[in-house]
Amino acid sequence: MRRTARVVAVLYRACWAAFFGQLVVSFFVDFTMLWGWLLIAAAIALALVAGRLARPVGAPAPAVEVEPPVEGRWSALNSPADKVPSHGTHGYGQTFAIDIVADPEDRPRPSFGWTPLLRRNRDFPAFGRPVFAAADARVVHAEDHRRDHLSRSSWPALLYLFGEALVRETGGPGHIVGNHVVLDLGDGVFALYAHLERGSLTVRAGDRVRAGQQLARCGNSGNSSEPHVHFQLMDGPDLRTARGVPFSWRNVGVPGNGEHFTATAAARDRRGP
């Protein structure tokens, strides 16, 4: 099954790459756009297949309780407490994923609207906030070389984000999740932290970490509209084949969309194991 999922992922990316390639060539060579529409249809069909392959099998597994990955006052977006799959797709193990944004009472988060079209990341209270290990774990994958782009926190910019996402898809999961860390929590459960700040990692693959140890800082890399933390549990480290696993944060639970919560990260030594 996982091998099939990998093949489908490769074909999906190949369809979009071929579509954008023929789009460029069409400026210089006159040929029918039927091929473009066929490639789009094939990509959509493969996306549906990939989503079905990534769907959890059988009854939902019990939620795995872990520590919150942040501390302070935050609010939830795209929460599995409100709908599953939370991000509209089972792909990339996102069935039970959640997005959270820092929302301190003394520093209001910029509102979404028509203007300004783009904002600097420093305008958002989440940017640069520390992100912590949710459990004792081993680092499976860690990268933070991708840039933090300006926000897409306006209606015109959001439309651009959707088109940008299609281009990112051709590069694979790394271009979607941006800078990220994958932790092996044991018992076949893995945690993903996505959209981290460039150059902020304090760990690397192979490291052992303790619950509450700082891993990186919140950023705005990858397919992200504004600085936020994307967190999910899954049953494997490969985003192309992973299935989502339900989570619950200790002393917080699973906050619903728009719900404010105050988290305290695990109190273990955050300087290292």
Side-chain angles (χ1 to χ4, degrees), residues 92 143 146 168 171-180 221-223 239:
Y92 299 148
E143 64 175 76
R146 304 182 193 279
R168 289 183 181 278
H175 291 271
I176 296 295
V177 298
N179 302 319
H180 63 285
S221 57
N223 193 53
L239 293 176

Side-chain angles (χ1 to χ4, degrees), residues 136-262:
D136 294 351
R138 179 176 61 87
V139 180
V140 176
H141 185 81
E143 64 175 76
D144 67 347
H145 64 277
R146 304 182 193 279
R147 70 183 181 89
D148 294 285
H149 54 71
L150 296 174
S151 79
R152 312 290 191 245
S153 54
S154 67
W155 289 112
L158 191 62
L159 291 176
Y160 173 79
L161 178 69
F162 291 146
E164 183 182 40
L166 294 178
V167 178
R168 289 183 181 278
E169 286 279 10
T170 65
H175 291 271
I176 296 295
V177 298
N179 302 319
H180 63 285
V181 173
V182 177
L183 300 182
D184 182 355
L185 309 187
D187 298 323
V189 178
F190 297 79
L192 169 71
Y193 301 75
H195 312 305
L196 303 175
E197 183 182 354
R198 184 178 190 176
S200 71
L201 287 181
T202 61
V203 297
R204 59 184 179 181
D207 286 353
R208 292 278 179 179
V209 298
R210 294 184 178 183
Q213 180 178 333
Q214 183 173 338
L215 303 174
R217 294 190 300 269
C218 175
N220 194 36
S221 57
N223 193 53
S224 172
S225 60
E226 67 175 86
H228 72 283
V229 174
H230 174 107
F231 177 86
Q232 67 187 51
L233 297 186
M234 50 195 181
D235 67 356
D238 188 342
L239 293 176
R240 298 171 300 173
T241 62
R243 292 190 176 99
V245 173
F247 75 91
S248 177
W249 288 329
R250 190 166 288 115
N251 299 322
V252 173
V254 183
N257 289 339
E259 180 181 342
H260 294 91
F261 64 94
T262 300

Side-chain angles (χ1 to χ4, degrees), residues 111-125:
S111 59
F112 185 91
W114 287 98
T115 59
L117 294 179
L118 306 170
R119 291 182 185 270
R120 299 173 303 173
N121 290 315
R122 294 290 180 188
D123 293 342
F124 294 85

